[in-house]
Amino acid sequence: MTCGGTPPPTFSTEAFEVVLRHGRNSTLAMLRAEFPDLRGGANAAVGQLFLDVSLYALGSDASVDDMVSAFFSRLFPLVYRRLLGGGAAGSDECLSEAWAPAGAFGSHPKLMMTRLSRSLPATRTFLQALNLGIEVVNTTQHLRPTRDCGRALLRLWLCPRCLGLPLAPPCPALCPALVQGCLGGAGLVQPHWWGYVAGLAALTGAMRGERDAEEAVLRLYAIIRLALRHAMSAHSRLLAA
């Protein structure tokens, strides 16, 4: 099989990991600059969030809502003690469960869930399809002709066109039959490959706007910033709860 089309240019698994790394670093830089009282305590929570996003894109069974909820559950005990001055009141487990019913971060966790839920599934599907295409290409490019195939190819000298006689009657069945014999079932992949390339191009075209995972990931720091500011503005209510 000759794969006459190639997947449309867009990010690969490695490129998406670069996007995640930039998103994580931007978030950590924002926390250091704007919320120094956290003193790096949120680094683990941020790192786990971006790891969960990476694993989801690679095919894990985790849900987007669960990974976002887990992030804010890890974050709230730090916020309560270091930003709100809540002291040692309450265990981490208790505080981890308290942020949602208290509305500590306002509507921002829901916003994060919505943006990631709209963008990550398309990226997940694209990366899985891309990896499948890479396997097909690697398999077909490493096909080796057998001895019987080599002998069969010699029969092409019986075809007038192979002898440089374009005006002689063509032999339409001989060449395809021999090539099909050499390639085996791989030759049957060709029409499906074109369908795969077209489908991948259509999926790429749909990964825009709300379905642009790169944009969603790189803007996570902004949502986290707004969530923390909301918690600080609700300082008195949260400490009294």
Side-chain angles (χ1 to χ4, degrees), residues 23 31 40 52 91 109 111 162 194 216 226 232:
L31 292 175
D52 288 343
S91 66
L111 176 61
C162 293
W194 282 108
L226 292 173
M232 294 179 70

Side-chain angles (χ1 to χ4, degrees), residues 5-12 15 126 130 197 200-201 203-205 207-208:
T6 57
T10 187
F11 57 81
S12 62
F126 175 84
L130 187 63
V197 172
L200 208 57
L203 180 58
T204 302
M207 293 164 62
R208 300 287 187 271

Side-chain angles (χ1 to χ4, degrees), residues 69-131:
S69 294
F71 167 70
F72 285 103
S73 293
R74 297 185 190 99
L75 190 61
F76 187 61
L78 290 165
V79 171
Y80 186 83
R81 295 193 176 101
R82 298 187 183 185
L83 292 185
L84 306 184
S91 66
D92 281 1
E93 182 178 357
C94 177
L95 291 172
S96 294
E97 297 174 354
W99 70 269
F105 299 110
S107 61
H108 304 295
K110 182 64 175 178
L111 176 61
M112 184 185 294
M113 293 174 186
T114 299
R115 289 190 177 177
L116 291 179
S117 294
R118 289 175 177 172
S119 60
L120 286 182
T123 297
R124 174 186 177 119
T125 301
F126 175 84
L127 292 178
Q128 290 174 342
L130 187 63
N131 289 333

Side-chain angles (χ1 to χ4, degrees), residues 138-156:
N138 288 340
T139 299
T140 56
Q141 285 185 340
H142 289 85
L143 289 175
R144 293 291 182 270
T146 64
R147 179 175 298 180
D148 289 341
C149 172
R151 292 171 178 169
L153 290 175
L154 292 176
R155 295 173 57 198
L156 291 177

Side-chain angles (χ1 to χ4, degrees), residues 165-184:
L165 303 173
L167 299 180
C171 42
L174 180 61
C175 294
L178 290 181
V179 172
Q180 181 63 38
C182 283
L183 293 178

